[in-house]
Amino acid sequence: MKTILVTGGAGFIGSAFVRELVLRQPETNFVVLDRLTYAGNLNNLLAVSDEPNYHFVRGDIADEAVVQQTLATYEVDIVVNFAAESHVDRSILAPGAFIQTDVVGVYALLEASLAAGIERFVQVSTDEVYGDVAEGYSTEDDAFLPNSPYSASKAGGELLVRAYHVTHGLDCVITRGSNTYGPYQYPEKLLPFFTTEAMDGRPLPLYGDGLQVRDWLHVEDHVRGIQTVMERGASGEAYNITAEQLHTNREVTQLILRTLGRPADLIRHVPDREGHDRRYAMDGRKLHDLGWRPQHVFAGDGCAATVRWYAENEWWWRPLKSGEFKQYYQEQYAARLAAAKPPGS
Ligand code: NAD
Ligand code: DAU
């Protein structure tokens, strides 16, 4: 029986990976190692919590002793690293945790994985490592030009993974996914944040002119992309995972409001995010060659079905928007909203 260690498996994308594979692959053991930061949530894993091939360990990927012990106890074959501080705005307010988890944490995982002689290390990375792409599409060999502390820390983690492959021969693959949406996403990210705020009739703080472009990838497609690279990716290679569905933030906001039947005058144009990348866009042909294609259409049912999921699952998100979130909201949005312009001005 194979064992896969899923670090960060209580977060948005990691938990989708676990929910999907635990049920589909009963002959494989899945061990989640997660520190349960504000973004980690065991409710994301309720669907599999009683399955015999699912195990949970609370711990920090930067704690090499914990990682070593987990790898040995469960006789881990493959490590899939989702664990990260993942929110750009928080990396502008407090970058230290990003360096600690996204760089030092990856280093500790790599050291322990090398010592344990694991079969394959999968690093989940992001299109943000390429930086702003004014035109055209990033290919896997393009230079890294990260612009936020988040994307710089993800680039640093990725470069360590590459170095352990080249220097120590560790079997590694890297995925670079685009902007991911779907159920169970912590409600600080654009789609769940705007959906849940609009449901409560609260203002939607759209940064700058709202014409920044993101590539909207459904979490189920992202998970299948990571699984494809884990199973069939060539050692040492990185793979873009792109839905090739580019939309401006303004279009996304309008889709959310239309789905909920809420008015456009909830939108507030607030001062822009510092260092805000204008556009991300990637070339997906390398992963297509492994047989993967996205199945969800964002402007079809992808966005609308996701908005409906938040509308129908208040039990999941409402508790997350109290306590720590309120403090974050105050720090991130109070001054911005005070300086806001209504739509059309
Ligand atoms: P998330 O913030 O929802 O989840 C991160 C998880 O990691 C949480 O469960 C958290 O508790 C855990 N974690 C954080 N620090 C840890 C540590 N030191 N040790 C152990 N666990 C720790 O993030 P997500 O959106 O699910 O993203 C998962 C991965 O995918 C990240 O590496 C992110 O960079 C990457 N990614 C995200 C997107 C996106 O749009 N969300 C797109 C491309 C790539
Ligand atoms: O592109 C992949 C990346 O996508 C991942 O690597 C990150 O982990 C993930 O958080 C996401 O980063 P973004 O910065 O693109 O996501 P976010 O949801 O924070 O913002 C999406 C866009 O919406 C971005 O252009 C900023 C804008 N935005 C966001 C928020 C939260 C607003 O205009 N207002 C907001 O309040």
Side-chain angles (χ1 to χ4, degrees), residues 7 64 71 74-75 78 90 97 101 165 176 190 201 277 280:
T7 55
E64 211 177 311
L71 292 176
Y74 292 96
E75 298 180 16
I78 296 172
R90 288 188 194 249
T101 290
H165 172 74
R176 298 187 189 131
L190 182 71
D277 287 331
Y280 302 127

Side-chain angles (χ1 to χ4, degrees), residues 178-197:
S178 64
N179 208 295
T180 306
Y181 68 96
Y184 301 102
Q185 184 170 33
Y186 189 83
E188 65 188 353
K189 305 286 171 73
L190 182 71
L191 197 151
F193 178 52
F194 277 15
T195 299
T196 57
E197 292 292 279

Side-chain angles (χ1 to χ4, degrees), residues 60-277:
D60 187 338
I61 59 162
D63 183 339
E64 211 177 311
V66 167
V67 178
Q68 275 170 356
Q69 198 187 353
T70 310
L71 292 176
T73 305
Y74 292 96
E75 298 180 16
V76 170
D77 300 291
I78 296 172
V79 173
V80 187
N81 180 33
F82 291 90
E85 289 291 337
S86 71
H87 189 34
V88 174
D89 289 325
R90 288 188 194 249
S91 82
I92 297 166
L93 294 172
F98 288 74
I99 308 306
Q100 180 60 21
T101 290
D102 302 3
V103 183
V104 179
V106 174
Y107 154 72
L109 262 186
L110 286 165
E111 278 290 306
S113 299
L114 190 62
I118 64 148
E119 209 175 277
R120 172 154 274 201
F121 187 101
V122 183
Q123 172 68 3
V124 178
S125 191
T126 170
D127 61 359
E128 299 207 7
V129 296
Y130 297 117
D132 193 40
V133 185
E135 53 188 34
Y137 299 89
S138 308
T139 64
E140 286 82 352
D141 293 330
D142 283 0
F144 285 2
L145 289 169
N147 290 315
S148 72
Y150 163 68
S151 51
S153 70
K154 289 297 292 184
E158 240 202 72
L159 289 172
L160 281 173
V161 174
R162 180 191 141 80
Y164 273 68
H165 172 74
V166 175
T167 303
H168 298 297
L170 187 66
D171 185 309
C172 299
V173 282
I174 295 166
T175 63
R176 298 187 189 131
S178 64
N179 208 295
T180 306
Y181 68 96
Y184 301 102
Q185 184 170 33
Y186 189 83
E188 65 188 353
K189 305 286 171 73
L190 182 71
L191 197 151
F193 178 52
F194 277 15
T195 299
T196 57
E197 292 292 279
M199 282 172 66
D200 285 346
R202 290 163 56 84
L204 308 185
L206 193 59
Y207 296 151
D209 59 11
L211 296 180
Q212 305 84 1
V213 172
R214 295 291 182 270
D215 171 11
W216 291 89
L217 175 68
H218 195 280
V219 68
E220 290 169 5
D221 285 331
H222 196 163
V223 160
R224 280 192 309 103
I226 293 166
Q227 186 191 357
T228 304
V229 173
M230 175 179 80
E231 291 172 355
R232 300 204 288 281
S235 185
E237 294 293 315
Y239 294 84
N240 293 341
I241 307 181
T242 159
E244 296 176 42
Q245 296 178 48
L246 304 182
H247 297 281
T248 65
N249 294 334
R250 193 187 287 176
E251 285 165 354
V252 173
T253 307
Q254 285 163 348
L255 270 173
I256 293 170
L257 289 170
R258 215 174 300 142
T259 305
L260 290 171
R262 297 281 169 159
D265 64 9
L266 287 178
I267 298 171
R268 297 287 181 283
H269 285 285
V270 300
D272 210 346
R273 173 185 276 175
E274 298 83 350
H276 198 174
D277 287 331

